[in-house]
Amino acid sequence: MSVLVFVEGLNGEIKKSSLEAASYGSQVAQQLGTSATAVAIGEVHEEALTKLGEQGISKVLYDADDRLKQFVADAYVKVIAKAAQQENAAVLVFSNSNIGAAVGAKLAVRLNGSLATNVTSLPKTDGGSFTVTRGVFSGKAFADVALTSDVKIIAVKKNAYDITSNAGSTATVEKISADLADTDFAAAPKETVMQDTDGGVLLPEAEIVVSGGRGLKGPENWHLVEDLAKALGAATACSKPVSDMDWRPHHEHVGQTGITVSPNLYIAIGISGAIQHLAGVNSSKVIVVINKDPEAPFFKAADYGIVGDAFEVVPKLIEAARALDK
Amino acid sequence: MKILVCISNVPDTTSKINFTADNKEFDKNGVQFVINPWDEYALTRAIELKEAKGGTVTVLNVGEADAEPNIRKALAIGADEAIRVNAQPKDAFFVAQQIAAIAKENKYDLILMGKESIDYNGSQVHNMVGELLGIPTVVPAFKLDMVDDTTARLEREIEGGKEVVEVKLPFVASAQQPMSEPRIPNMRGIMTARTKPLKVVEPVGAEAKAEYVNYSKPEKKSGVKMIAPENAGELITLLRNEAKVL
Ligand SMILES: Cc1cc2nc3c(=O)[nH]c(=O)nc-3n(C[C@H](O)[C@H](O)[C@H](O)COP(=O)(O)OP(=O)(O)OC[C@H]3O[C@@H](n4cnc5c(N)ncnc54)[C@H](O)[C@@H]3O)c2cc1C
C-alpha cells in the first residue's frame, strides 16, 4: 500500500501546485505509515524529478514518451493507472488543476475509487473513516466528505496546502511505460498555445494577483494594473464585464463563471465586489480593495482597504512597490 | 445531430448559503434555484448547433420534481425534449452513472454539460461519463464548432494557455465562457415549452462513493483595516511587515 502523487511539469520544471500536492501526499503517507511515490509524464527535467525528495517523495515513476508532451487525458490516465497498480496505491493525490481534476475523475471510474476535488485539508482518519474537507458553493462553504471506496483520490485546491521542504533529500527516478495505443490519442491536441505573459506570472499559479474592474474605465488605463503587478511579481486578472467588453482576454476573468483563484494576496482595483466575483476570489488569504465608493460591497470581504480614486491611488502603490527591496 | 445537454438545478448565484441546524444538509429555505450558469453555455451552444445543422437537443436532469421549472425553462430556451431521472443526486459518481445509462440507451452524438456546478464545484461528472461510455472527453471547452458531420473542433483551456482539439463524434465536452451567449426565453418559447415532452424515469441502481457528512462556513474576516488614500504607499509596508504577503 502506498500514496501516489501525480505531478505536472511546465517548461521542464514541476508546477508549484504539484509541489503542494507532493507535500500533501507525503504527509498523508506519513499519517498512514507508508511511503509516497510520484508519477510524472512528458517533458520534465530529471533534476526536477530528483528534487521531489525535498517534498518527501521517495521514488518518481517517469514516462518520457514523446507523445505525452501535450496533455491527452486518456493516455495520461493509462500511465497513472499503471503506476497506481504497480505501487498498490491506496491514495492518489493530484493538484486541483484542469488536468488533475480531469484525470482524477477518469481514474475514479477506472480504479473504482472515491474522489474528492477542491480539497482544502489533510484527511481525518480516526475510527477507520477517511474524511477530507472540500470547498463547496463557490467558496461560500466547506463540506466534510467521507471517501468510502478502497482507493481514495484527492485533488488538492491550489494554495491550500503549503510546500514542505527538506533541503537536500532526493528521490530515485524510475522509467515507467504503459502500452499506449493510437486510440489513447484520439483526443490529442492539434495545437497548444501558451499565453504570452510577457515574462510575467501565470494567473492560475500566482501567489499575488492584481485585478482590475470596470472602475478603470477602459483598456487604455490597464498599464496601472500591469505596472503594479510587475512591481509585485504578480499575475493580472479582471472582472467579468471587463472581459465581456474585450478590454482584457477571457482567460483573465475571475469569479463564479471565470477562474477561481486563491492567492496569498488579491488586490482588487475598481471592482465592486459582486457576489459572483467574490465567489472566485474569496479564499485568497489577504484581500486588498481599492474603490472610490465607500459602500462598495467588496470592503466587507477585504483585509485592507483604500477609499479613493484608482487613478490617484495606484500610481502611489506602484511607486512604493518599486521601492521595495526584493 | 442528436445532442444531450445535462443541466443541474443550483441555488441562484446571489443566494446566501445556509445549512440545517445540525449542519448535515443544505437549507433550501428561501433559496431560488436556477439552471447552473455553466450549463447554460452548453445549452445555448447545443441549440445554436441544432439551428445550424439540424437535429435534436435533449436536456437531462438528475433530480427531484422541484427541478422541473428549470427543466421547462431549458425547453423554453429551445431544447426539444427533456428527461428527468427521478432521484436526489448523491454524489458525482451516482449522477454520472445515471447520465451514462440514458446515453447508452439513446446513442447521442454529442454530450454537453457545464464545466462544473456552482453548488458542489466538483468538475467530475463529464469526465466520469466519458470514461463510463468509453468516449473522449474534452474539458473545459470554450469553443466548439463542427468541422464536418463527424468531426468537431474545440478549444479547451489549460493552465496558462489553450489547446485546439479535433475529435470524432461521439464525445463529451464541458462548456465554459465564452462558448455561447446564454439566451432568455421569449413568450413563444415559454408557451411551446408547455407542450414539449418531459419524461420522468427512475434511476438505475448505482452507488455513491462520497458521503457528505458535515457542512461549515468560512470564518468571518476580523474586519477591514482602512488606509487614507493620501498615504496609499503605507499599504505596501503593511502588506510586507504585518500581513507578510510581500
Ligand atoms: C450568473 C452570473 C455570473 C457572473 N459571474 C461573474 C464572474 O465570474 N466574475 C465577475 O467578476 N462577475 C461576474 N458576474 C457579474 C457580477 O454580478 C458583476 O456585474 C461584476 O462583477 C461587476 O464588475 P465590476 O465590479 O468590474 O464593475 P462594476 O459593478 O461596474 O463596479 C465598478 C466599481 O468600480 C468603482 N470605481 C469606479 N471608478 C473608480 C475609480 N476611478 N477608482 C476606484 N474605483 C472606481 C465603482 O465604485 C464600482 O464599485 C456574474 C453575474 C451573473 C448574473
Side-chain angles (χ1 to χ4, degrees):
Chain A
M1 200 229 349
S2 75
V3 173
L4 182 72
V5 183
F6 167 58
V7 293
E8 296 171 40
L10 183 70
N11 304 326
E13 300 297 327
I14 307 282
K15 283 187 185 173
K16 175 177 162 271
S17 49
S18 287
L19 295 178
E20 291 165 5
S23 306
Y24 180 102
S26 304
Q27 184 60 42
V28 175
Q30 246 179 47
Q31 262 175 263
L32 301 177
T34 181
S35 60
T37 302
V39 54
I41 296 172
E43 210 175 3
V44 195
H45 302 316
E46 176 118 10
E47 197 193 331
L49 297 176
T50 316
K51 267 186 77 177
L52 280 166
E54 297 189 355
Q55 279 72 51
I57 300 292
S58 50
K59 180 167 69 182
V60 184
L61 302 172
Y62 178 50
D63 191 331
D65 189 325
D66 256 0
R67 294 173 295 177
L68 297 168
K69 277 186 182 165
Q70 290 173 307
F71 172 61
V72 188
D74 290 322
Y76 274 43
V77 164
K78 221 167 168 177
V79 177
I80 301 168
K82 174 150 189 201
Q85 192 187 19
Q86 191 174 310
E87 293 297 305
N88 190 19
V91 181
L92 275 69
V93 178
F94 302 84
S95 157
N96 197 61
S97 62
N98 285 342
I99 293 177
V103 291
K106 284 174 169 283
L107 282 161
V109 172
R110 209 168 283 196
L111 305 177
N112 201 19
S114 35
L115 167 69
T117 53
N118 216 17
V119 169
T120 56
S121 76
L122 284 168
K124 288 193 204 78
T125 49
D126 31 271
S129 75
F130 191 99
T131 306
V132 290
T133 304
R134 60 184 301 270
V136 290
F137 294 99
S138 305
K140 291 184 226 170
F142 295 103
D144 297 336
V145 187
L147 302 181
T148 52
S149 312
D150 291 343
V151 174
K152 279 111 177 144
I153 305 177
I154 296 169
V156 186
K157 188 179 161 103
K158 289 178 193 171
N159 263 325
Y161 193 77
D162 288 336
I163 298 171
T164 53
S165 184
N166 185 2
S169 299
T170 55
T172 57
V173 179
E174 285 174 22
K175 289 266 150 62
I176 183 175
S177 146
D179 297 315
L180 295 172
D182 285 347
T183 48
D184 298 318
F185 293 90
K190 282 182 79 83
E191 198 187 333
T192 303
V193 188
M194 292 312 276
Q195 279 151 31
D196 182 9
T197 57
D198 193 19
V201 186
L202 288 176
L203 179 57
E205 295 277 306
E207 285 185 37
I208 305 175
V209 176
V210 181
S211 188
R214 198 143 59 174
L216 280 157
K217 309 283 189 277
E220 66 282 4
N221 298 321
W222 232 260
H223 59 92
L224 287 172
V225 174
E226 284 167 343
D227 289 350
L228 182 57
K230 202 166 241 168
L232 296 173
T236 53
C238 67
S239 68
K240 182 169 185 287
V242 164
S243 68
D244 285 349
M245 291 181 294
D246 279 335
W247 295 358
R248 300 297 290 177
H250 270 289
H251 60 74
E252 279 202 0
H253 145 212
V254 293
Q256 188 148 44
T257 47
I259 298 182
T260 303
V261 292
S262 43
N264 291 331
L265 174 60
Y266 184 79
I267 303 181
I269 306 168
I271 303 177
S272 57
I275 198 160
Q276 298 92 351
H277 184 84
L278 287 179
V281 306
N282 57 6
S283 56
S284 308
K285 287 195 183 113
V286 173
I287 294 178
V288 171
V289 171
I290 297 152
N291 197 305
K292 69 175 185 190
D293 173 11
E295 302 297 321
F298 221 148
F299 284 117
K300 287 205 185 77
D303 300 280
Y304 295 93
I306 298 180
V307 177
D309 188 332
F311 297 95
E312 286 160 24
V313 169
V314 179
K316 289 191 180 130
L317 294 178
I318 294 171
E319 197 186 325
R322 283 186 180 147
L324 279 178
D325 54 294
K326 289 282 152 59
Chain B
M1 197 156 63
K2 263 180 92 174
I3 309 176
L4 180 69
V5 180
C6 308
I7 60 169
S8 62
N9 192 45
V10 299
D12 170 29
T13 51
T14 58
S15 302
K16 292 247 180 325
I17 300 301
N18 288 305
F19 301 100
T20 50
D22 60 0
N23 283 327
K24 296 259 180 279
E25 267 173 73
F26 173 63
D27 183 359
K28 290 187 181 178
N29 254 322
V31 173
Q32 172 99 24
F33 280 76
V34 296
I35 301 175
N36 182 40
W38 303 101
D39 301 347
E40 283 196 277
Y41 294 112
L43 175 64
T44 31
R45 188 66 194 131
I47 293 165
E48 288 166 4
L49 287 173
K50 176 190 88 161
E51 286 167 353
K53 316 254 170 206
T56 55
V57 174
T58 304
V59 288
L60 169 62
N61 168 260
V62 179
E64 295 177 310
D66 58 2
E68 289 197 1
N70 282 323
I71 301 175
R72 286 278 173 215
K73 185 180 168 201
L75 293 170
I77 291 171
D80 301 285
E81 53 170 22
I83 303 171
R84 178 170 69 80
V85 177
N86 187 30
Q88 193 188 354
K90 291 186 198 119
D91 76 342
F93 190 61
F94 175 86
V95 173
Q97 283 175 300
Q98 305 307 325
I99 296 171
I102 301 280
K104 267 187 196 141
E105 203 179 300
N106 296 292
K107 306 234 176 318
Y108 298 98
D109 300 305
L110 174 58
I111 301 173
L112 267 177
M113 58 189 92
K115 153 190 152 127
E116 65 182 67
S117 69
I118 63 164
D119 51 1
Y120 284 89
N121 310 102
S123 295
Q124 303 172 20
V125 173
H126 31 63
N127 277 294
M128 288 179 170
V129 170
E131 191 67 20
L132 287 166
L133 295 173
I135 58 177
T137 317
V138 185
V139 300
F142 57 87
K143 206 162 190 275
L144 163 58
D145 293 300
M146 294 305 295
V147 177
D148 54 39
D149 289 346
T150 61
T151 309
R153 186 173 198 276
L154 298 104
E155 291 184 20
R156 65 179 292 266
E157 186 191 289
I158 52 170
E159 270 85 6
K162 66 170 184 184
E163 279 176 358
V164 182
V165 182
E166 277 188 13
V167 58
K168 291 234 177 290
L169 302 174
F171 64 93
V172 181
S174 77
Q176 73 168 45
Q177 224 214 355
M179 185 180 274
S180 65
E181 195 54 56
R183 296 179 187 179
I184 297 161
N186 57 26
M187 208 45 189
R188 198 171 146 262
I190 295 168
M191 299 306 286
T192 52
R194 291 189 191 152
T195 62
K196 289 178 180 173
L198 192 171
K199 200 162 94 184
V200 179
V201 301
E202 289 309 311
V204 294
E207 46 161 351
K209 291 183 183 181
E211 196 189 325
Y212 282 78
V213 290
N214 188 57
Y215 293 91
S216 58
K217 293 216 260 182
E219 277 171 35
K220 281 226 160 43
K221 294 248 173 187
S222 56
V224 48
K225 187 171 213 165
M226 299 305 289
I227 292 134
E230 315 71 86
N231 308 331
E234 247 174 48
L235 172 68
I236 299 293
T237 320
L238 285 169
L239 291 174
R240 168 161 282 189
N241 298 335
E242 187 179 82
K244 303 202 188 310
V245 286
L246 290 183

